[in-house]
Amino acid sequence: MIRKPRLFTPGPTPLHPAVLEAMARPIPHHRTDEFRAVFKECVAGLQGFLKTADDVLVLACSGTGGMEAALVNVLSPGEKMLALVAGNFGERWASIGKAYGMDVRVLKAAWGDAVPPEEAARALDADPAIKGVFVQLSESSTGARHDIEALARITRARPGTLLVVDAISGAGAMALETAAWGVDVVVVGSQKALALPPGLAFLSVSARAWERIESAKAPRFYFDLRRERKAQAGGESAFTPAISNMVALRAALEFVKRLGGVDALVKNAGTLAACTRAAASALGLPLVAPKAHGDALTALYPPSGVDSGAIVKALKAEFASTVACGQGGLKGKIFRVAHLGYYDTTDIFGLLGSLEVVLHRLGHRFDLGTGIAAAERAYLERAPAPVGGKA
Amino acid sequence: MIRKPRLFTPGPTPLHPAVLEAMARPIPHHRTDEFRAVFKECVAGLQGFLKTADDVLVLACSGTGGMEAALVNVLSPGEKMLALVAGNFGERWASIGKAYGMDVRVLKAAWGDAVPPEEAARALDADPAIKGVFVQLSESSTGARHDIEALARITRARPGTLLVVDAISGAGAMALETAAWGVDVVVVGSQKALALPPGLAFLSVSARAWERIESAKAPRFYFDLRRERKAQAGGESAFTPAISNMVALRAALEFVKRLGGVDALVKNAGTLAACTRAAASALGLPLVAPKAHGDALTALYPPSGVDSGAIVKALKAEFASTVACGQGGLKGKIFRVAHLGYYDTTDIFGLLGSLEVVLHRLGHRFDLGTGIAAAERAYLERAPAPVGGKA
C-alpha cells in the first residue's frame, strides 16, 4: 500500500507549497537592494502576524535561540525572573535563566494545567524585585494555554516587570494581541504556524523592553538585539541571514494574507482542534489539558489498556503519519496531534480515520466511525455553510 | 479555513514528490549518453510495469495521441475494425477510426456495463475480415472494466485480428498481464497511475503487431512506430522527447519498484476502490458500474434528491477537493473519484469525511460517520495487521 508521509507534529509542520517553491529558487545575495526589499516586506508581514507596530527582529536560529535572545537582552545576571512552568517548555525558561546566572523563581502548574494569572500577580506583589515574567502562550508538551491577556494586564501595571512570551507554537494558532494586550517580548519560530522549515526565530520588542535592553548586562553577542535593531532598520541583519528561509518567509506571509490574515489562521487551528477534541471524547481518549486546552495541538491519553507508544508507532508503520510522543513526565503516556499551520479539515478527517483503524487493531472497542462522526459534527457547528450551500 | 487543493480525478492524478523534484532539475540534452541511459532505464521499467518483454515505445503526446498512434499503425484505410464501446473513451476509438477512413464496426454496452467477450467473439466469427479489436481496460467515464484476459484469448486464436487496449487509466490500477494474456498493443498515459504530469504516452507492441505495422498503409509521420522503434533501440526518440518528463518517469518507475512493483500499485488502487464502494453503499450512493466495476476509479450516482453537480461544486468550494463530473450521457448525473496512482488510505478517509459533510449540507439524511465506518471495515478486511500490530 502507498503510505504518504504526513507530519502531524507541533513543529516541524507541513511546508506550504509556496514555501517549497521559494526554498528551491536560486539564492540572492543578502547585501543587495533586492534582498533588503524582501527583508522589509517580511518585517511588515510579521508585524501584521503579531498584531503590533513594535519592532520585530528576525534571527537565524531555532525557537530556543529566540527564547535565549529574549531572556539575555532583558535581564542582568543575578536579577530575579519569574518562570511560569506548566510543562517542558516552561522549564526551558528556567534553564536558560539559570545558565546565565539569573535568580530564577518558578511558579509551577501540574502538567496539563496552566499557571493562573492571579498566582503570578501574588508572586509579583510578594517580590517587587522580579524583573520579568516568562511564560508560554501554548505549552507544546501538554497543549495547555496560558492566559496571556490577563498576565499582560498584571505586568503592564508594574513598570519594573516585563512580560516575555514564548509564542513559538502558539502564534498563528491562538489569539495573540501583542500591542493591544501589551506584551513586551514575543518569541515565534518559523517551523510552526507559518509552515516554514526551522531556522528562523522572530522577536517583537516593546518600547519598555527596549529601555531595559539598553541597560541589561547579560553577556550576548550573536543574540545582541541592539545590534540587530540597528542593522535591521536598513533591511539587513547584523550577521548572515538565512537567505532562502527569508524568501520563503515572504511567501508564507503572503499565504497568510491571502487566507484572510492571522485571525483566519487562528480560526483554522481552532476548528481543527475542536474537531479533534470532539473525536477524542467520542472515542474515549482523555485530554491531557481538559480545562486549559489551547488550539495549537491536542495532547491525548490513550484509552485504558492501550499503550500510547503503540498508537504512535502504528500510525507511522501503517499510515506513515507522524504524531508526537509525550515529553518529560508524560513520556510514553500520551500522544500529540498538531493543528497549527498548514493543515486543513480533510487532513484531520484523514488522520482520524487512520487513528480509528489503529485503535481498533490495538484492541480498543468502539464503533468504527464514531470519532469522525463527532469531528464532522464539530466542524458543521463551527463552519457555516458556504455561499450556495443548503444548510 | 485552509483548503489544500487535492485532485481526486482519474487524470491528472497527484504528482509523486520524486516526480516534482525530477521535473524541477536542470534539463539535460537529449542527444547525450546521459539521457540515453535515462531513456533505456525508462523502457526497461515500463516493460516491468506492463509485464512484457515486447518493445515499449515512448511518445511525447497525450493518451489520445497514443490511441491514434496505435490505430494508424495497425490498420489501413478501409479495413474493418471492431470498437467495443462502453462509454466516452470507447467512442474515441470509433472516432479515430472514422477520421482515418476505417470501416468501423461497433459493439455497444450500456454505460456502466462492459461488452461481454463472447459478444466480441460472435462478431469476429460473423466477420473474419475484422483486423483489430479496440477496447478500454478501464472505461474512465463509468469506471467499468473490460475483461481483457478473455478478449485476448479470443484474438490470440485469430491470426488476422489484433487486440489493441487503451489501458491509459487502467494500467497500474488493475491487473494487466500484457505478455501472458497476449495483448498486441497496450496504450498507457503518464498522468494516471504513474503519477506524472500529462505529456507522455507509452505503447507496448507485440511481434504480431509489428508484422502488421510493417505493411499497414494508414498515413502517419509523427506517430510512425517503425521510425520510433529504430530510434528508440538506441535510447533516443525520433523527434525531440519530453526530456524533463522522461527524467521524472524514471523517478516514478523507481517509486513503483520500491513500492513492490506494479502488483503493489494495483493492490493499492483495489483497496481504495473497495473502501470507496463500501462507503458509497453505506451512504446510499449507487454505483454507475455495479457489476463491471473496475478499481481505477469509482463513478457514483448522487443519493435521490441531491444533484451530482452540487456535490462536485461543494467539495471544491468547501474543501478544495476536485472530483470528476460525468461525461457524455452521464453529464450532470454522476461524479467520479479516482484511485489510480499516488493515493493512500488517509487520502480516501479524508475525502469521505468531506463528502459526508457535503452530503449532509445538501440535505441527504444519514448518520454522520456511516460511510467512513464502512470504508474502515473494508480496509481492515483487505489489509492484514502489519507486523507488530494486534489483530
Side-chain angles (χ1 to χ4, degrees):
Chain A
M1 294 295 292
I2 291 175
R3 304 173 308 125
K4 297 188 184 179
R6 288 177 171 88
L7 281 188
F8 287 98
T9 49
T13 58
L15 303 189
H16 190 278
V19 166
L20 288 171
E21 279 175 49
M23 295 291 295
R25 265 181 238 148
I27 195 164
H29 195 279
H30 52 295
R31 307 295 183 202
T32 58
D33 286 343
E34 177 194 358
F35 186 72
R36 282 180 206 106
V38 171
F39 205 105
K40 287 178 179 178
E41 275 184 62
C42 286
V43 169
L46 288 168
Q47 287 171 321
F49 184 73
L50 292 176
K51 298 199 167 183
T52 181
D54 287 347
D55 287 305
V56 178
L57 303 175
V58 180
L59 300 175
C61 63
S62 77
T64 303
M67 292 171 73
E68 179 164 331
L71 191 148
V72 301
N73 277 276
V74 301
L75 293 181
S76 301
E79 282 187 339
K80 285 181 182 168
M81 60 173 270
L82 181 66
L84 308 188
V85 177
N88 194 49
F89 293 94
E91 286 175 3
R92 190 160 299 178
W93 277 132
S95 301
I96 298 170
K98 280 174 202 156
Y100 279 88
M102 307 308 164
D103 184 356
V104 181
R105 309 296 164 100
V106 168
L107 271 184
K108 286 204 178 199
W111 284 39
D113 288 340
V115 178
E118 50 280 14
E119 274 190 35
R122 276 196 294 274
L124 294 178
D125 287 341
D127 193 343
I130 292 171
K131 298 287 190 181
V133 176
F134 295 78
V135 65
Q136 272 67 36
L137 168 56
S138 171
E139 170 54 61
S140 295
S141 61
T142 67
R145 183 186 80 90
H146 274 108
D147 186 345
I148 302 302
E149 186 177 9
L151 287 166
R153 216 175 291 129
I154 292 163
T155 52
R156 270 205 330 266
R158 290 166 170 79
T161 309
L162 299 176
L163 178 61
V164 179
V165 174
D166 161 5
I168 293 171
S169 66
M174 288 140 69
L176 175 62
E177 303 281 341
T178 303
W181 294 350
V183 184
D184 294 298
V185 181
V186 172
V187 184
V188 182
S190 55
Q191 76 276 27
K192 308 291 181 171
L194 283 168
L196 291 156
L200 297 177
F202 316 117
L203 279 85
S204 76
V205 184
S206 72
R208 58 182 214 152
W210 278 122
E211 270 179 51
R212 177 77 67 77
I213 290 169
E214 291 302 333
S215 62
K217 298 276 182 301
R220 71 264 202 197
F221 187 83
Y222 185 69
F223 289 141
D224 190 336
L225 298 185
R226 294 166 299 187
R227 187 187 280 117
E228 287 298 338
R229 185 191 208 184
K230 234 176 270 173
Q232 298 195 15
E236 298 199 11
S237 50
F239 308 111
T240 309
I243 302 173
S244 291
N245 301 55
M246 293 290 296
V247 176
L249 170 59
R250 181 173 59 173
L253 289 164
E254 178 60 30
F255 150 68
V256 174
K257 195 172 158 191
R258 266 183 291 114
L259 187 66
V262 66
D263 290 346
L265 198 59
V266 165
K267 190 198 165 200
N268 186 73
T271 303
L272 304 187
C275 291
T276 306
R277 288 193 298 266
S281 166
L283 294 170
L285 308 182
L287 294 176
V288 173
K291 286 172 298 181
H293 68 75
D295 292 334
L297 69 149
T298 302
L300 297 167
Y301 289 105
S304 65
V306 176
D307 177 53
S308 70
I311 295 173
V312 175
K313 269 187 208 154
L315 280 171
K316 177 83 179 186
E318 186 158 5
F319 296 102
S321 281
T322 304
V323 298
C325 301
Q327 297 178 318
L330 291 175
K331 204 168 178 174
K333 293 183 184 162
I334 65 165
F335 65 101
R336 298 174 296 142
V337 178
H339 313 302
L340 72 173
Y342 189 57
Y343 292 108
D344 73 356
T345 317
T346 306
D347 282 326
I348 288 296
F349 289 158
L351 176 72
L352 291 174
S354 54
L355 178 62
E356 289 195 6
V357 166
V358 160
L359 290 172
H360 177 87
R361 285 210 199 273
L362 292 170
H364 183 43
R365 291 284 76 95
F366 64 100
D367 289 334
L368 290 171
T370 315
I372 298 225
E376 289 174 4
R377 278 190 294 271
Y379 171 80
L380 285 161
E381 278 164 25
R382 289 192 160 231
V387 181
K390 220 158 86 181
Chain B
M1 294 294 293
I2 292 175
R3 305 172 309 124
K4 298 188 184 180
R6 287 178 170 87
L7 282 186
F8 287 98
T9 49
T13 58
L15 304 188
H16 191 278
V19 166
L20 287 173
E21 279 175 49
M23 296 291 295
R25 266 181 237 147
I27 195 164
H29 195 278
H30 53 296
R31 307 298 183 201
T32 59
D33 285 344
E34 177 193 359
F35 186 72
R36 283 180 205 106
V38 171
F39 205 104
K40 287 179 179 177
E41 275 183 63
C42 286
V43 169
L46 288 168
Q47 288 172 319
F49 184 73
L50 292 176
K51 298 198 167 183
T52 181
D54 286 347
D55 287 304
V56 178
L57 302 176
V58 179
L59 300 175
C61 63
S62 77
T64 303
M67 291 171 75
E68 177 163 332
L71 191 147
V72 300
N73 276 277
V74 301
L75 293 181
S76 302
E79 281 187 340
K80 286 182 182 166
M81 61 173 271
L82 181 66
L84 309 187
V85 176
N88 194 48
F89 293 94
E91 286 175 4
R92 189 159 300 178
W93 277 131
S95 301
I96 298 170
K98 282 174 203 156
Y100 280 88
M102 307 307 165
D103 183 356
V104 180
R105 309 297 164 99
V106 167
L107 271 183
K108 286 205 178 195
W111 284 39
D113 286 341
V115 178
E118 49 280 14
E119 275 189 35
R122 275 195 295 273
L124 294 178
D125 286 342
D127 193 344
I130 292 172
K131 297 288 189 181
V133 176
F134 295 77
V135 65
Q136 272 67 36
L137 168 55
S138 171
E139 171 54 60
S140 295
S141 61
T142 66
R145 185 187 79 89
H146 274 108
D147 186 345
I148 302 301
E149 186 177 9
L151 288 166
R153 216 176 290 127
I154 291 162
T155 52
R156 270 202 331 266
R158 290 163 170 82
T161 310
L162 299 176
L163 178 61
V164 180
V165 174
D166 161 4
I168 293 171
S169 66
M174 288 140 69
L176 174 62
E177 303 281 341
T178 304
W181 294 351
V183 185
D184 294 297
V185 180
V186 172
V187 184
V188 182
S190 53
Q191 76 277 29
K192 308 289 182 173
L194 283 168
L196 290 157
L200 297 177
F202 317 116
L203 280 86
S204 77
V205 184
S206 72
R208 58 182 215 152
W210 278 122
E211 268 179 52
R212 176 78 67 79
I213 290 169
E214 292 302 333
S215 61
K217 298 276 182 302
R220 71 263 203 198
F221 186 82
Y222 185 68
F223 289 141
D224 190 335
L225 297 184
R226 294 166 299 187
R227 188 188 279 117
E228 286 298 338
R229 184 192 209 183
K230 236 177 268 172
Q232 298 195 15
E236 298 198 12
S237 50
F239 308 111
T240 309
I243 302 174
S244 291
N245 302 54
M246 293 292 295
V247 175
L249 169 60
R250 181 173 61 174
L253 289 164
E254 178 60 30
F255 150 67
V256 174
K257 195 171 156 191
R258 268 183 289 114
L259 187 66
V262 65
D263 291 345
L265 198 59
V266 166
K267 191 196 164 201
N268 186 72
T271 303
L272 304 186
C275 291
T276 306
R277 288 193 297 267
S281 166
L283 294 170
L285 309 182
L287 294 176
V288 173
K291 288 172 298 183
H293 69 74
D295 292 334
L297 69 149
T298 302
L300 297 167
Y301 288 105
S304 65
V306 177
D307 177 52
S308 70
I311 295 173
V312 175
K313 270 187 209 152
L315 281 171
K316 177 83 178 184
E318 186 158 5
F319 296 104
S321 281
T322 306
V323 299
C325 301
Q327 298 178 316
L330 291 175
K331 203 167 179 175
K333 295 184 183 161
I334 66 164
F335 66 100
R336 299 174 295 141
V337 178
H339 314 302
L340 72 172
Y342 189 58
Y343 292 108
D344 71 356
T345 316
T346 305
D347 283 326
I348 289 296
F349 289 158
L351 176 71
L352 292 174
S354 55
L355 178 62
E356 290 196 5
V357 166
V358 160
L359 290 172
H360 176 87
R361 285 210 198 274
L362 291 170
H364 183 42
R365 291 283 76 96
F366 64 99
D367 289 334
L368 289 171
T370 314
I372 296 224
E376 289 174 4
R377 278 191 294 272
Y379 171 80
L380 285 161
E381 276 163 26
R382 289 192 160 230
V387 180
K390 223 158 86 181

